Amino acid sequence: MTASHSDSLVVLFGATAGAYGAKLGSDERELILLVWQVVDLPSKKVGTLHKSLVKADNLELSDQCREVSGLTPEGLGKAEPLDRVLQQFIQLVSSDLKVFGRNSYTLCSDGQLLIRQVLHPETSKKNFLLSECFYSFYDLRKEFHTCYPSSAAVKDQTIKTMAEYLGLGTDEAEEDFGVWQVKTMVAIIFSMLSENCDHIFTDPETVKYKYETGPCSKSETVDSETVIRARGLPWQSSDQDIARFFKGLNIAKGGVALCLNAQGRRNGEALVRFVNSEQRDLALERHKHHMGSRYIEVYKATGEEFLKIAGGTSNEVAQFLSKENQVIIRMRGLPFTATQEDVLGFLGPECPVTGGKEGLLFVKYPDGRPTGDAFVLFSCEEYAQNALKKHKEILGKRYIELFRSTAAEVQQVLNRYMSTPLIPTLPTPIIPVIPPPYTIATGSIRDCVRLRGLPYTAGIDDILDFMGDATADIKPHGVHMVLNQQGRPSGDAFIQMKSADKAFMVAQKCHKKMMKDRYVEVFQCSGEEMNFVLMGGTLNRSGLSPPPCKLPCLSPPAYAAFQTAAVIPAEAALYQPQALLPTARTPQASAAAPPAVTYYPAQAAQLYMNYTAYYPSPPVSPTTVGYLAAPPGAVAAAATATHTPLLPQPGALVRMQGLPYNTGMKEILSFFQGYQLHTDSILMLYNFSGQPSGEALVTFPSLDLAKRAVAEKNGQLLGGCCVELLLV
């Protein structure tokens, strides 16, 4: 039992098997000792002093713990586990209170760490609930500083410095570890209760019982000293999972913002806003603590970053999120013709939506076109769980993905789609830009490094983070991702360094360093070896193996230095079909070595954003990047000059949308069996991360055949996905 103003305090001290003092709880080590004593404030009397050892799952003790506490693994092995010790704690405190005729109490600890950084995180991981008394406590250091303002700052206080300030003559060596600390804390409290101070304990610290969801407006002011960035989260993590990781710390209402990548999917990062800077600083101490089997990195972030992710301005969204304590589910892949009635019917009576139609929010483009995404509110966890069981069930001809979401994700998705530019008319057609001759690297100087074993989800940013301080020594446009024959990440990358010495240092420093959940091998190599692999050859212990082919349409694109001034905005990332249908190659032209064709994305001004791949060319989607514009007449001229087609042959172009991300050319050929297609007819499209975009361009021999394919195949399933065909 607790109260805002209690008659009794329970002075509590604890220790873990690891760090002690200011770093208590920072190493995730388990609790091994609890010592406590009841203090009756009105009578200024104390109850029995209790000391209890705790049996940890891991009985290995740090050197500091052995030295300070004098405890041994053998002694701890005979103790009770934490859940039983806490039950005994509640029973013994209740018995001591009865002696004084009291029925309410509040804990009093030396600082915040024992309660917030040890007890709450550990019990959360071990899946048992703490008693109500552990959600309210007095911080003796803060109370002491309030009573004695001329004493040292709160963060510099210890039990010993407080005792010395009061001139208390206690000898730490005379008492067992933990006993001295509790007795000294009790003596300090009695000094604060004396007539000279007459201190009253009235304003305890509180720990939030649960995380509260809620919207965030872009007009809010967010203190940068209250925000952190968590990195390395499992992709399926919800805001409640993140709140549980920070259990014991008070997160602001609506303070968890899951970050999305360019494709609208979670990227394993989140921004978290705490109620004050003190809570934020404690959160930073959980750097590399574990969520399941993954360790989570925790860094400082800014209020501006948080608002960019979580802030919103839409009245529709604000109204949708105004219903508090709701579970939010995101639906993805809805048919564009789906109505509110369709969605409610899909969910069924076993998972009623809060407010019926008012609990649905369809995500749309600025012109009102549906995106295929929607958010749904449920009043309780049971209804949400019933909805999640419908993951990948069919609505219309499409399977629907369902997963947990957050208020911040709602804002982020809406902000992203609503900021999509509208173009009333088609811009001038795009053309391939013919760069001046440029060699990625040459010679036998070993000024490059090869990264092998990268996670397939790794992008440029991940590699730069992996390189750390060595990124300053990378040559401009010196990061080259290698894609396999299906155009997917191969797990390899090459990096050009400014010198052989820099390459050697990187290889020594980063070899077998972890990226996400995989270790990455780093080898020093030469530019010649790098070029061989980028051309399709292999590099192993046996030496170099030549590329499988030297056909012009399979050779890697050359990369020239990006000309920032010539890049047009992303608004121009549309194209006309004739720009993708060049004239057929002549035998004479094919025999000559053609200059490479390079596509320049709108983000090309960024230093490390060029990918290298020899399958396919280009390795990114023409509809997801910006291009250089040119007069219509230049299209044919460019195609004639290069003799290197964007698509292998002329004909009628069909765009495929909604493909499974693991679709390859073989599956597409099977899908169009009987339509006179071959591998050169298909161009898979990729996003900036080198990942499949779920789209492809297919060239048919004639317009009639293309129209027949669209009429017969549109809406059919390929690998469980409903594929849309568009004649472009």
PDB file of all heavy atoms in Angstrom, residues 22-23 26 113 117 155 224-228 246 249 274-287 298-300:
ATOM      1  N   ALA A  22      27.440   4.764  -9.806  1.00  0.00           N
ATOM      2  CA  ALA A  22      26.801   5.557 -10.864  1.00  0.00           C
ATOM      3  C   ALA A  22      26.457   4.731 -12.095  1.00  0.00           C
ATOM      4  O   ALA A  22      25.644   5.160 -12.921  1.00  0.00           O
ATOM      5  CB  ALA A  22      27.707   6.725 -11.255  1.00  0.00           C
ATOM      6  N   LYS A  23      27.058   3.558 -12.262  1.00  0.00           N
ATOM      7  CA  LYS A  23      26.804   2.712 -13.437  1.00  0.00           C
ATOM      8  C   LYS A  23      25.894   1.532 -13.124  1.00  0.00           C
ATOM      9  O   LYS A  23      25.760   0.615 -13.944  1.00  0.00           O
ATOM     10  CB  LYS A  23      28.138   2.200 -14.000  1.00  0.00           C
ATOM     11  CG  LYS A  23      28.965   3.267 -14.696  1.00  0.00           C
ATOM     12  CD  LYS A  23      28.263   3.780 -15.950  1.00  0.00           C
ATOM     13  CE  LYS A  23      29.092   4.792 -16.697  1.00  0.00           C
ATOM     14  NZ  LYS A  23      28.396   5.285 -17.919  1.00  0.00           N
ATOM     15  N   SER A  26      23.625  -0.350 -15.822  1.00  0.00           N
ATOM     16  CA  SER A  26      24.012  -0.009 -17.194  1.00  0.00           C
ATOM     17  C   SER A  26      24.516  -1.209 -17.984  1.00  0.00           C
ATOM     18  O   SER A  26      24.615  -1.156 -19.211  1.00  0.00           O
ATOM     19  CB  SER A  26      25.090   1.083 -17.185  1.00  0.00           C
ATOM     20  OG  SER A  26      26.276   0.615 -16.558  1.00  0.00           O
ATOM     21  N   LEU A 113      18.567   4.743  -9.714  1.00  0.00           N
ATOM     22  CA  LEU A 113      19.021   3.599 -10.500  1.00  0.00           C
ATOM     23  C   LEU A 113      18.421   2.266 -10.062  1.00  0.00           C
ATOM     24  O   LEU A 113      18.043   1.445 -10.905  1.00  0.00           O
ATOM     25  CB  LEU A 113      20.554   3.518 -10.476  1.00  0.00           C
ATOM     26  CG  LEU A 113      21.280   4.758 -11.015  1.00  0.00           C
ATOM     27  CD1 LEU A 113      22.790   4.534 -10.994  1.00  0.00           C
ATOM     28  CD2 LEU A 113      20.816   5.096 -12.421  1.00  0.00           C
ATOM     29  N   GLN A 117      16.424   1.457 -13.215  1.00  0.00           N
ATOM     30  CA  GLN A 117      17.370   0.804 -14.123  1.00  0.00           C
ATOM     31  C   GLN A 117      17.641  -0.662 -13.788  1.00  0.00           C
ATOM     32  O   GLN A 117      18.268  -1.358 -14.581  1.00  0.00           O
ATOM     33  CB  GLN A 117      18.711   1.564 -14.131  1.00  0.00           C
ATOM     34  CG  GLN A 117      18.623   3.003 -14.640  1.00  0.00           C
ATOM     35  CD  GLN A 117      18.473   3.088 -16.138  1.00  0.00           C
ATOM     36  OE1 GLN A 117      17.436   2.695 -16.669  1.00  0.00           O
ATOM     37  NE2 GLN A 117      19.486   3.591 -16.828  1.00  0.00           N
ATOM     38  N   LYS A 155      23.481  14.951  -8.746  1.00  0.00           N
ATOM     39  CA  LYS A 155      24.191  13.917  -9.502  1.00  0.00           C
ATOM     40  C   LYS A 155      25.533  13.552  -8.867  1.00  0.00           C
ATOM     41  O   LYS A 155      26.093  12.490  -9.157  1.00  0.00           O
ATOM     42  CB  LYS A 155      24.408  14.371 -10.954  1.00  0.00           C
ATOM     43  CG  LYS A 155      25.271  15.595 -11.116  1.00  0.00           C
ATOM     44  CD  LYS A 155      25.367  16.001 -12.590  1.00  0.00           C
ATOM     45  CE  LYS A 155      26.232  17.239 -12.776  1.00  0.00           C
ATOM     46  NZ  LYS A 155      27.648  17.026 -12.382  1.00  0.00           N
ATOM     47  N   SER A 224      15.075  19.130 -27.211  1.00  0.00           N
ATOM     48  CA  SER A 224      16.036  18.170 -27.760  1.00  0.00           C
ATOM     49  C   SER A 224      16.723  17.359 -26.670  1.00  0.00           C
ATOM     50  O   SER A 224      17.274  16.285 -26.948  1.00  0.00           O
ATOM     51  CB  SER A 224      17.092  18.897 -28.599  1.00  0.00           C
ATOM     52  OG  SER A 224      16.518  19.416 -29.787  1.00  0.00           O
ATOM     53  N   GLU A 225      16.711  17.864 -25.422  1.00  0.00           N
ATOM     54  CA  GLU A 225      17.341  17.134 -24.326  1.00  0.00           C
ATOM     55  C   GLU A 225      16.475  15.989 -23.813  1.00  0.00           C
ATOM     56  O   GLU A 225      16.822  15.343 -22.820  1.00  0.00           O
ATOM     57  CB  GLU A 225      17.649  18.098 -23.176  1.00  0.00           C
ATOM     58  CG  GLU A 225      18.664  19.169 -23.524  1.00  0.00           C
ATOM     59  CD  GLU A 225      19.997  18.580 -23.965  1.00  0.00           C
ATOM     60  OE1 GLU A 225      20.494  17.685 -23.261  1.00  0.00           O
ATOM     61  OE2 GLU A 225      20.522  18.999 -25.006  1.00  0.00           O
ATOM     62  N   THR A 226      15.331  15.749 -24.462  1.00  0.00           N
ATOM     63  CA  THR A 226      14.435  14.673 -24.015  1.00  0.00           C
ATOM     64  C   THR A 226      14.281  13.563 -25.052  1.00  0.00           C
ATOM     65  O   THR A 226      13.495  12.636 -24.844  1.00  0.00           O
ATOM     66  CB  THR A 226      13.035  15.234 -23.699  1.00  0.00           C
ATOM     67  OG1 THR A 226      12.446  15.768 -24.903  1.00  0.00           O
ATOM     68  CG2 THR A 226      13.105  16.336 -22.659  1.00  0.00           C
ATOM     69  N   VAL A 227      15.033  13.613 -26.155  1.00  0.00           N
ATOM     70  CA  VAL A 227      14.799  12.698 -27.282  1.00  0.00           C
ATOM     71  C   VAL A 227      16.022  11.813 -27.518  1.00  0.00           C
ATOM     72  O   VAL A 227      17.158  12.276 -27.471  1.00  0.00           O
ATOM     73  CB  VAL A 227      14.463  13.484 -28.569  1.00  0.00           C
ATOM     74  CG1 VAL A 227      14.162  12.525 -29.718  1.00  0.00           C
ATOM     75  CG2 VAL A 227      13.276  14.410 -28.336  1.00  0.00           C
ATOM     76  N   ILE A 228      15.764  10.529 -27.793  1.00  0.00           N
ATOM     77  CA  ILE A 228      16.831   9.600 -28.172  1.00  0.00           C
ATOM     78  C   ILE A 228      16.437   8.891 -29.474  1.00  0.00           C
ATOM     79  O   ILE A 228      15.270   8.879 -29.863  1.00  0.00           O
ATOM     80  CB  ILE A 228      17.111   8.542 -27.080  1.00  0.00           C
ATOM     81  CG1 ILE A 228      15.875   7.653 -26.798  1.00  0.00           C
ATOM     82  CG2 ILE A 228      17.597   9.196 -25.814  1.00  0.00           C
ATOM     83  CD1 ILE A 228      15.811   6.381 -27.568  1.00  0.00           C
ATOM     84  N   PHE A 246      12.290   0.242 -22.521  1.00  0.00           N
ATOM     85  CA  PHE A 246      12.641   1.351 -21.626  1.00  0.00           C
ATOM     86  C   PHE A 246      11.810   1.317 -20.340  1.00  0.00           C
ATOM     87  O   PHE A 246      11.578   2.354 -19.725  1.00  0.00           O
ATOM     88  CB  PHE A 246      12.443   2.685 -22.342  1.00  0.00           C
ATOM     89  CG  PHE A 246      13.452   2.953 -23.424  1.00  0.00           C
ATOM     90  CD1 PHE A 246      13.080   2.935 -24.764  1.00  0.00           C
ATOM     91  CD2 PHE A 246      14.777   3.206 -23.111  1.00  0.00           C
ATOM     92  CE1 PHE A 246      14.005   3.178 -25.765  1.00  0.00           C
ATOM     93  CE2 PHE A 246      15.713   3.446 -24.106  1.00  0.00           C
ATOM     94  CZ  PHE A 246      15.330   3.427 -25.436  1.00  0.00           C
ATOM     95  N   LEU A 249      11.378   3.918 -17.118  1.00  0.00           N
ATOM     96  CA  LEU A 249      11.564   5.316 -17.517  1.00  0.00           C
ATOM     97  C   LEU A 249      10.248   5.864 -18.045  1.00  0.00           C
ATOM     98  O   LEU A 249       9.468   5.130 -18.655  1.00  0.00           O
ATOM     99  CB  LEU A 249      12.653   5.427 -18.580  1.00  0.00           C
ATOM    100  CG  LEU A 249      14.001   4.784 -18.208  1.00  0.00           C
ATOM    101  CD1 LEU A 249      15.008   4.981 -19.330  1.00  0.00           C
ATOM    102  CD2 LEU A 249      14.533   5.361 -16.903  1.00  0.00           C
ATOM    103  N   PHE A 274      11.136  11.462 -23.962  1.00  0.00           N
ATOM    104  CA  PHE A 274      10.895  11.238 -22.538  1.00  0.00           C
ATOM    105  C   PHE A 274      10.350  12.515 -21.892  1.00  0.00           C
ATOM    106  O   PHE A 274      10.384  13.594 -22.485  1.00  0.00           O
ATOM    107  CB  PHE A 274      12.175  10.770 -21.858  1.00  0.00           C
ATOM    108  CG  PHE A 274      12.636   9.416 -22.320  1.00  0.00           C
ATOM    109  CD1 PHE A 274      13.475   9.286 -23.418  1.00  0.00           C
ATOM    110  CD2 PHE A 274      12.194   8.266 -21.691  1.00  0.00           C
ATOM    111  CE1 PHE A 274      13.879   8.039 -23.869  1.00  0.00           C
ATOM    112  CE2 PHE A 274      12.588   7.011 -22.131  1.00  0.00           C
ATOM    113  CZ  PHE A 274      13.426   6.900 -23.219  1.00  0.00           C
ATOM    114  N   VAL A 275       9.859  12.366 -20.674  1.00  0.00           N
ATOM    115  CA  VAL A 275       9.195  13.503 -20.024  1.00  0.00           C
ATOM    116  C   VAL A 275      10.181  14.584 -19.601  1.00  0.00           C
ATOM    117  O   VAL A 275       9.801  15.752 -19.463  1.00  0.00           O
ATOM    118  CB  VAL A 275       8.364  13.032 -18.803  1.00  0.00           C
ATOM    119  CG1 VAL A 275       7.221  12.140 -19.246  1.00  0.00           C
ATOM    120  CG2 VAL A 275       9.245  12.314 -17.789  1.00  0.00           C
ATOM    121  N   ASN A 276      11.437  14.231 -19.382  1.00  0.00           N
ATOM    122  CA  ASN A 276      12.439  15.241 -19.025  1.00  0.00           C
ATOM    123  C   ASN A 276      13.833  14.736 -19.381  1.00  0.00           C
ATOM    124  O   ASN A 276      14.015  13.581 -19.790  1.00  0.00           O
ATOM    125  CB  ASN A 276      12.351  15.607 -17.535  1.00  0.00           C
ATOM    126  CG  ASN A 276      12.461  14.388 -16.618  1.00  0.00           C
ATOM    127  OD1 ASN A 276      13.285  13.503 -16.850  1.00  0.00           O
ATOM    128  ND2 ASN A 276      11.627  14.344 -15.572  1.00  0.00           N
ATOM    129  N   SER A 277      14.821  15.606 -19.215  1.00  0.00           N
ATOM    130  CA  SER A 277      16.191  15.266 -19.613  1.00  0.00           C
ATOM    131  C   SER A 277      16.792  14.203 -18.698  1.00  0.00           C
ATOM    132  O   SER A 277      17.657  13.425 -19.123  1.00  0.00           O
ATOM    133  CB  SER A 277      17.070  16.522 -19.592  1.00  0.00           C
ATOM    134  OG  SER A 277      17.070  17.112 -18.302  1.00  0.00           O
ATOM    135  N   GLU A 278      16.364  14.165 -17.433  1.00  0.00           N
ATOM    136  CA  GLU A 278      16.866  13.144 -16.510  1.00  0.00           C
ATOM    137  C   GLU A 278      16.507  11.744 -17.001  1.00  0.00           C
ATOM    138  O   GLU A 278      17.356  10.834 -17.003  1.00  0.00           O
ATOM    139  CB  GLU A 278      16.289  13.370 -15.113  1.00  0.00           C
ATOM    140  CG  GLU A 278      16.774  12.357 -14.086  1.00  0.00           C
ATOM    141  CD  GLU A 278      16.113  12.540 -12.740  1.00  0.00           C
ATOM    142  OE1 GLU A 278      14.923  12.915 -12.702  1.00  0.00           O
ATOM    143  OE2 GLU A 278      16.786  12.300 -11.722  1.00  0.00           O
ATOM    144  N   GLN A 279      15.263  11.569 -17.446  1.00  0.00           N
ATOM    145  CA  GLN A 279      14.835  10.270 -17.978  1.00  0.00           C
ATOM    146  C   GLN A 279      15.590   9.942 -19.266  1.00  0.00           C
ATOM    147  O   GLN A 279      15.956   8.799 -19.514  1.00  0.00           O
ATOM    148  CB  GLN A 279      13.332  10.291 -18.249  1.00  0.00           C
ATOM    149  CG  GLN A 279      12.472  10.624 -17.040  1.00  0.00           C
ATOM    150  CD  GLN A 279      12.450   9.512 -16.021  1.00  0.00           C
ATOM    151  OE1 GLN A 279      12.085   8.391 -16.325  1.00  0.00           O
ATOM    152  NE2 GLN A 279      12.861   9.820 -14.803  1.00  0.00           N
ATOM    153  N   ARG A 280      15.817  10.964 -20.106  1.00  0.00           N
ATOM    154  CA  ARG A 280      16.574  10.744 -21.353  1.00  0.00           C
ATOM    155  C   ARG A 280      17.985  10.261 -21.041  1.00  0.00           C
ATOM    156  O   ARG A 280      18.501   9.332 -21.707  1.00  0.00           O
ATOM    157  CB  ARG A 280      16.608  12.051 -22.157  1.00  0.00           C
ATOM    158  CG  ARG A 280      17.098  11.933 -23.620  1.00  0.00           C
ATOM    159  CD  ARG A 280      18.594  11.788 -23.785  1.00  0.00           C
ATOM    160  NE  ARG A 280      19.335  12.859 -23.174  1.00  0.00           N
ATOM    161  CZ  ARG A 280      19.750  13.949 -23.809  1.00  0.00           C
ATOM    162  NH1 ARG A 280      19.479  14.106 -25.077  1.00  0.00           N
ATOM    163  NH2 ARG A 280      20.451  14.878 -23.164  1.00  0.00           N
ATOM    164  N   ASP A 281      18.641  10.881 -20.049  1.00  0.00           N
ATOM    165  CA  ASP A 281      20.008  10.481 -19.703  1.00  0.00           C
ATOM    166  C   ASP A 281      20.056   9.041 -19.195  1.00  0.00           C
ATOM    167  O   ASP A 281      21.005   8.299 -19.474  1.00  0.00           O
ATOM    168  CB  ASP A 281      20.577  11.433 -18.648  1.00  0.00           C
ATOM    169  CG  ASP A 281      20.810  12.838 -19.200  1.00  0.00           C
ATOM    170  OD1 ASP A 281      20.865  12.981 -20.440  1.00  0.00           O
ATOM    171  OD2 ASP A 281      20.907  13.782 -18.401  1.00  0.00           O
ATOM    172  N   LEU A 282      19.037   8.636 -18.452  1.00  0.00           N
ATOM    173  CA  LEU A 282      18.976   7.242 -18.001  1.00  0.00           C
ATOM    174  C   LEU A 282      18.762   6.302 -19.187  1.00  0.00           C
ATOM    175  O   LEU A 282      19.305   5.194 -19.223  1.00  0.00           O
ATOM    176  CB  LEU A 282      17.839   7.068 -16.992  1.00  0.00           C
ATOM    177  CG  LEU A 282      18.033   7.740 -15.622  1.00  0.00           C
ATOM    178  CD1 LEU A 282      16.773   7.597 -14.771  1.00  0.00           C
ATOM    179  CD2 LEU A 282      19.237   7.166 -14.888  1.00  0.00           C
ATOM    180  N   ALA A 283      17.986   6.750 -20.180  1.00  0.00           N
ATOM    181  CA  ALA A 283      17.759   5.937 -21.378  1.00  0.00           C
ATOM    182  C   ALA A 283      19.062   5.706 -22.138  1.00  0.00           C
ATOM    183  O   ALA A 283      19.303   4.621 -22.681  1.00  0.00           O
ATOM    184  CB  ALA A 283      16.724   6.599 -22.279  1.00  0.00           C
ATOM    185  N   LEU A 284      19.926   6.716 -22.183  1.00  0.00           N
ATOM    186  CA  LEU A 284      21.203   6.578 -22.885  1.00  0.00           C
ATOM    187  C   LEU A 284      22.086   5.520 -22.240  1.00  0.00           C
ATOM    188  O   LEU A 284      22.953   4.931 -22.905  1.00  0.00           O
ATOM    189  CB  LEU A 284      21.934   7.927 -22.918  1.00  0.00           C
ATOM    190  CG  LEU A 284      21.286   9.018 -23.784  1.00  0.00           C
ATOM    191  CD1 LEU A 284      21.984  10.351 -23.568  1.00  0.00           C
ATOM    192  CD2 LEU A 284      21.319   8.631 -25.260  1.00  0.00           C
ATOM    193  N   GLU A 285      21.873   5.254 -20.945  1.00  0.00           N
ATOM    194  CA  GLU A 285      22.648   4.220 -20.256  1.00  0.00           C
ATOM    195  C   GLU A 285      22.226   2.814 -20.696  1.00  0.00           C
ATOM    196  O   GLU A 285      22.866   1.831 -20.335  1.00  0.00           O
ATOM    197  CB  GLU A 285      22.490   4.360 -18.745  1.00  0.00           C
ATOM    198  CG  GLU A 285      23.147   5.607 -18.160  1.00  0.00           C
ATOM    199  CD  GLU A 285      24.663   5.600 -18.332  1.00  0.00           C
ATOM    200  OE1 GLU A 285      25.260   4.511 -18.260  1.00  0.00           O
ATOM    201  OE2 GLU A 285      25.236   6.677 -18.558  1.00  0.00           O
ATOM    202  N   ARG A 286      21.135   2.719 -21.452  1.00  0.00           N
ATOM    203  CA  ARG A 286      20.702   1.401 -21.937  1.00  0.00           C
ATOM    204  C   ARG A 286      21.246   1.101 -23.334  1.00  0.00           C
ATOM    205  O   ARG A 286      20.734   0.235 -24.044  1.00  0.00           O
ATOM    206  CB  ARG A 286      19.177   1.304 -21.914  1.00  0.00           C
ATOM    207  CG  ARG A 286      18.610   1.479 -20.511  1.00  0.00           C
ATOM    208  CD  ARG A 286      17.194   1.003 -20.372  1.00  0.00           C
ATOM    209  NE  ARG A 286      16.672   1.345 -19.047  1.00  0.00           N
ATOM    210  CZ  ARG A 286      15.467   1.033 -18.603  1.00  0.00           C
ATOM    211  NH1 ARG A 286      14.637   0.353 -19.395  1.00  0.00           N
ATOM    212  NH2 ARG A 286      15.069   1.381 -17.407  1.00  0.00           N
ATOM    213  N   HIS A 287      22.258   1.845 -23.736  1.00  0.00           N
ATOM    214  CA  HIS A 287      22.922   1.597 -25.019  1.00  0.00           C
ATOM    215  C   HIS A 287      23.438   0.160 -25.069  1.00  0.00           C
ATOM    216  O   HIS A 287      24.116  -0.311 -24.154  1.00  0.00           O
ATOM    217  CB  HIS A 287      24.079   2.582 -25.189  1.00  0.00           C
ATOM    218  CG  HIS A 287      24.846   2.414 -26.463  1.00  0.00           C
ATOM    219  ND1 HIS A 287      24.268   2.532 -27.712  1.00  0.00           N
ATOM    220  CD2 HIS A 287      26.154   2.132 -26.686  1.00  0.00           C
ATOM    221  CE1 HIS A 287      25.185   2.337 -28.640  1.00  0.00           C
ATOM    222  NE2 HIS A 287      26.336   2.080 -28.048  1.00  0.00           N
ATOM    223  N   VAL A 298      21.465   3.087 -28.598  1.00  0.00           N
ATOM    224  CA  VAL A 298      20.701   4.255 -28.144  1.00  0.00           C
ATOM    225  C   VAL A 298      21.590   5.490 -28.245  1.00  0.00           C
ATOM    226  O   VAL A 298      22.687   5.518 -27.668  1.00  0.00           O
ATOM    227  CB  VAL A 298      20.210   4.073 -26.689  1.00  0.00           C
ATOM    228  CG1 VAL A 298      19.373   5.272 -26.260  1.00  0.00           C
ATOM    229  CG2 VAL A 298      19.402   2.791 -26.549  1.00  0.00           C
ATOM    230  N   TYR A 299      21.127   6.498 -28.982  1.00  0.00           N
ATOM    231  CA  TYR A 299      21.893   7.719 -29.204  1.00  0.00           C
ATOM    232  C   TYR A 299      21.030   8.952 -28.921  1.00  0.00           C
ATOM    233  O   TYR A 299      19.801   8.876 -28.913  1.00  0.00           O
ATOM    234  CB  TYR A 299      22.389   7.797 -30.657  1.00  0.00           C
ATOM    235  CG  TYR A 299      23.201   6.624 -31.107  1.00  0.00           C
ATOM    236  CD1 TYR A 299      22.639   5.621 -31.894  1.00  0.00           C
ATOM    237  CD2 TYR A 299      24.541   6.514 -30.763  1.00  0.00           C
ATOM    238  CE1 TYR A 299      23.388   4.536 -32.316  1.00  0.00           C
ATOM    239  CE2 TYR A 299      25.299   5.432 -31.182  1.00  0.00           C
ATOM    240  CZ  TYR A 299      24.723   4.448 -31.960  1.00  0.00           C
ATOM    241  OH  TYR A 299      25.463   3.381 -32.375  1.00  0.00           O
ATOM    242  N   LYS A 300      21.681  10.067 -28.736  1.00  0.00           N
ATOM    243  CA  LYS A 300      20.960  11.327 -28.602  1.00  0.00           C
ATOM    244  C   LYS A 300      20.327  11.712 -29.937  1.00  0.00           C
ATOM    245  O   LYS A 300      20.861  11.418 -31.001  1.00  0.00           O
ATOM    246  CB  LYS A 300      21.897  12.446 -28.151  1.00  0.00           C
ATOM    247  CG  LYS A 300      22.403  12.311 -26.722  1.00  0.00           C
ATOM    248  CD  LYS A 300      23.293  13.497 -26.353  1.00  0.00           C
ATOM    249  CE  LYS A 300      23.801  13.390 -24.924  1.00  0.00           C
ATOM    250  NZ  LYS A 300      24.667  14.537 -24.567  1.00  0.00           N
TER     251      LYS A 300
END
